[in-house]
Amino acid sequence: MAKIAIVDDNKEQRETNTIRLRLFLKELNSKIEVSDIFPFEKFSDYYGYIDSENIIALVIDEKLYNDSQLDRAPVEYNGSDLVGYIRERYKYIPIFTLTNFPEDQILQDKINEYDYIFSKKDFSIKQVEIINRACQRYLEENQKELSQVDDLTRKIASGKGEANDIEMLKALQIKLSIPFSSDLKDREEWLIEYEKQITELEELRFKLEKKLNK
Amino acid sequence: MVRTENELKEKLQVLLKESNPDYRAIFKLTRDLSKLDKKYQHFFVDAKTLIHLGRDSIKDHTTALIELVKNSYDADSKNVDVDVYCRKGGNFIRVADNGFGMTKDDLVNGWLHIGFSNKRSSKRSKTGRRKTGEKGIGRISADRLGGNLELITKTEQDTLIGLIVNWDAFDVEGKDISDIDVELFYPTSINVPNKDGKPSLTGTEIKITNLRQNWSVSNIENLYYELSALTPPFNEVKDFQIELRNDIAPSFSKRVNSEFFKAAEIELDALYEGKGSDILYTIKDKYSKKVEIQEIKWQQLLSKINKAEDQEVSEDLKCGPISLKLLFFLREAASVQGTAFKLSELREFLDNNAGIKIYRDNIAVKPYGFPNSQFGYDWLELAERKAKDPAGIGRGAESYSVTPNQLIGAIFISRDNNIDLSDSAAREGLVESESFYDLRNFVLGSINMLETHRANIYPLIEKSRESKKTSSSKEAEQIQMQLFSVKEDLESIKTEIESTNTKSSTSDVTRPIEISIEKVDVITKKVDKTISELLNWNRVLSGLATIGISSAVFGHETEGSISLFTNATDNARLLIRSDPPDLVLAISEIDKALKHSKKVAAWGAYALTRVQREKRSKKNINIKKTIDAVVKELKPAFEASSIKIETEGEFLVSKTYQMDIESILINLLTNAYTACNLKPGVRRVVITIDREDTRVTQGYFFSVSDTGPGIAKEFQKRIFEPLFSTKTVSTGTSKSVGTGLGLTIVKSIVDDLSGNIKVDQDPELKGARFKIWLPKEK
């Protein structure tokens, strides 16, 4: 199921805002779930998290470097440092900041990276409506494009793909940040690999039969 | 009345035959006759032309008067009296000198000969002075000053002779210049300044009456400074002194002098002998006792000002021999310590005299370095250079530059040795030739030398300042001591009078003294009260500033609590209403809201209790307890940022102001908090309290150490400067968020309490450690 991530170093704030987001999403009849995390020590951990947890939007606190958790020391970055990193790979994912200091100058300098800047003081249903709408749009767009990718991949894999199909697929892969699969690039290589595996299977069958026949 | 040729001839013959011929009438007749000449005729000059010439060649009446003083200089006088009276003292201007004076021949064939100047034929005066004026019209500018001129002069050979000019007589239509009479007279006395302490046998006295305008105070002031600029302020021309007297601005009735130069911070002399590439520098300053002597090559000097890169540099300077004197001033109270004048006087002097002037044969060449000249004042473009790189002295020698208003300089050249530095025909000043550019670069390079020297001695300057600074409470003590000694002096005078005088008159004399003693008593008490009130205010203001600074830093925590309080309450409401209600979660949200509402309340109390009245009086307080109380108040903020804060040490009691201790501590803790947040990982702040006695004083210290990045060596000296801050918005940006006041407050309180502050790296926590030592009072 698709989720919105809340990233905040302050446990109490994080929990309260998670409860709020859940309550309001429910009120808006949204099926989207909420996941909350203490900031990761390393930026690179966010990519894996977004992919594996099916994150479709992020709500990030700005001053991430204050608090610690039982097993975790405070981190070294703030929200506006993180947003740029996420944008490198997920160009269109909705990202919001939820902060006590919406006027903060560093945050304002990065305003272009965010979809919206929210103040913690007035975080209520209106704000959640904005978040919800952005999530829906992102989901629809992505689903449309993902199914297009699926169709094109099948077509090319079956050898029916034309030159412009391959171009189109490449473009979608870039847009959706899907890593290129090397086997699609060269069908022959794929077939050799495929046949190699069939050969292995046959060899296995042969061994099994031999054993049974003993 | 036009006469015929014959009539004229007859009349002339009659006049010539008289026993006492009327030369004036003869002159007019012959002039009329000469107009009848059939072959040769002459220009005639209208009398008014003289007035126009005089008025147009001179900017204003100050300059007109300066022209007359220049003539005195050229006449080899040692002293010149300049009197300007236009109020109660009379209505006249007088310029009197003890120069060589004029003979009757000089007067008639020289002084009265418009456009003639013997200065063109003999450029040096008898004693070797290079003469200043050349145009031969300086004297007619006297018309600008007043309607009548009376001149008395005396040379060694001749008797006294005088001359009277009524300028207004020239100001009529249609008269020939020679129609106007200039009357000679033969006075019996002359009033000129003494020469070498003895009455002068020669000299010239000019008195101008029927003044054209009233002189204002600023006119006189201007005149004074123009006169002081006329001769070099560097005492090169010791034998030329001007005494100004007037009834308009009495404070300028004095010898035009340059005493102010004693207040210079740095004195630089540069000498170029005119050949080769060596320039000799002598640099003195107020701080280091020794004189620095250096020899610098021309090429080297140019490279200092980035002029040598793209062009070939000749061995010699094209401008010829030059000597340069530069004086560097600061406009601050320390500059006038040990001199006879006040800071306001120094500032005024600098306002009027700052700039680098060129002196040719010891007389200033305008407009270079004249404060009231639009382009000439900063002809070296020092202001533009400073604007491009405004770094202060603290940033080191590389980028420090002086501003033009801090420099007074003199470049000495002469007409005969610096032939290429000639006057521009088109305007004021010198021709901008290669020689001129060499001269300019020579000066710029020398300024750079001065700047480098100043940057080098900067640590010394700092040191001397530190030792000079007295804290405000000590200053108060000094004032009280002085008042006390005045009272004592008065009392001893009184006793003396009582013991010497006869009884009858004693009380008459001692009564005023008794009154004075009473007055001093009252004043002492008033001063005492005012000072203690001011100090109290100072204490409150420091406390308030400290709250402000700490609130800005810890504010995040409060803001967070406020939003959490409102959101958690709202959550609880929603959770109870939802179907089915989630009561467990609702209760936990209400608990959270309550906890944070208390935090907000605690912050309010923190601000309110900070400046309580009882904390402002001096009494015995338990230092450890005071520190613990502050720590307890700030702990939530530290914990919210994962900072573990702890206090180590024993109880100890000292008589002091609680608010001072709190202000110091809060400022240090605010800094420690910010520093800790700059680094991830374990964050700690440790406060240590202990006894520590010096050899003479009992005392104690408390130190604040943190796990932050520490203070870079280059900043350690500057962190106590007002408005200096290392706090930036986040790592990697240079935008400062600190106010730069916290440590300044700490330093001033510590100074006031006669303590000291040290900063170093904490050996265990690796961040900064601030250690405050204070005397222990009982």
Side-chain angles (χ1 to χ4, degrees), chain A residues 12 16 20 65-66 68 101, chain B residues 571 592 595-596 642 683:
Chain A
E12 290 177 322
T16 294
R20 271 178 105 56
Y65 48 76
N66 286 327
S68 52
F101 301 96
Chain B
N571 276 359
K592 215 191 278 176
K595 182 177 150 195
H596 285 274
S642 324
R683 293 169 175 171

Side-chain angles (χ1 to χ4, degrees), chain A residues 3-203:
Chain A
K3 285 178 197 148
I4 300 169
I6 290 193
V7 187
D8 198 328
D9 57 323
N10 186 304
K11 188 165 173 279
E12 290 177 322
Q13 296 262 16
R14 193 170 71 231
E15 283 171 0
T16 294
N17 289 325
T18 304
I19 293 169
R20 271 178 105 56
L21 188 54
R22 270 194 195 122
L23 285 167
F24 292 135
L25 283 171
K26 200 174 141 197
E27 210 172 316
L28 296 170
N29 294 316
S30 174
K31 292 271 151 54
I32 303 167
E33 290 176 1
V34 184
S35 158
D36 69 284
I37 51 160
F38 181 82
F40 293 115
E41 194 188 340
K42 281 181 261 162
F43 274 178
S44 54
D45 290 339
Y46 285 94
Y47 289 168
Y49 167 71
I50 289 169
D51 287 341
S52 65
E53 290 289 310
N54 196 14
I55 299 298
I56 56 158
L58 294 106
V59 178
I60 306 172
D61 176 40
E62 173 59 13
K63 299 206 188 311
L64 292 174
Y65 48 76
N66 286 327
D67 242 313
S68 52
Q69 227 164 259
L70 281 180
D71 53 337
R72 306 264 292 274
V75 298
E76 217 169 342
Y77 55 88
N78 53 28
S80 37
D81 295 329
L82 175 61
V83 65
Y85 182 77
I86 294 174
R87 282 271 178 251
E88 271 176 32
R89 183 145 162 191
Y90 305 94
K91 282 201 171 57
Y92 300 102
I93 195 166
I95 305 179
F96 305 91
T97 181
L98 187 58
T99 173
N100 280 315
F101 301 96
E103 301 305 323
D104 184 283
Q105 196 50 52
I106 322 169
L107 185 61
Q108 288 294 333
D109 288 347
K110 288 282 182 78
I111 197 163
N112 56 318
E113 305 268 13
Y114 290 101
D115 288 82
Y116 225 103
I117 292 177
F118 295 130
S119 165
K120 279 184 180 169
K121 264 185 222 154
D122 35 53
F123 183 53
S124 68
I125 190 145
K126 279 184 190 167
Q127 284 70 31
V128 177
E129 269 179 68
I130 295 170
I131 297 174
N132 187 40
R133 263 203 309 278
C135 288
Q136 297 301 342
R137 260 201 300 275
Y138 183 68
L139 267 179
E140 271 168 38
E141 191 119 316
N142 261 352
Q143 267 164 4
K144 220 192 299 167
E145 279 165 351
L146 280 170
S147 67
Q148 219 177 338
V149 170
D150 195 39
D151 290 346
L152 284 170
T153 313
R154 279 169 202 280
K155 197 172 168 187
I156 294 161
S158 61
K160 289 174 200 159
E162 289 163 24
N164 64 337
D165 288 330
I166 296 170
E167 285 302 305
M168 182 77 182
L169 183 62
K170 270 188 189 169
L172 283 168
Q173 281 173 331
I174 290 167
K175 190 178 173 188
L176 297 170
S177 313
I178 299 170
F180 294 118
S181 35
S182 56
D183 47 358
L184 275 178
K185 264 194 247 169
D186 195 330
R187 192 165 168 268
E188 214 177 281
E189 241 178 66
W190 182 82
L191 280 174
I192 291 164
E193 182 71 16
Y194 182 71
E195 276 162 10
K196 209 171 104 191
Q197 281 170 18
I198 292 176
T199 321
E200 274 174 21
L201 267 178
E202 279 178 349
E203 274 171 13

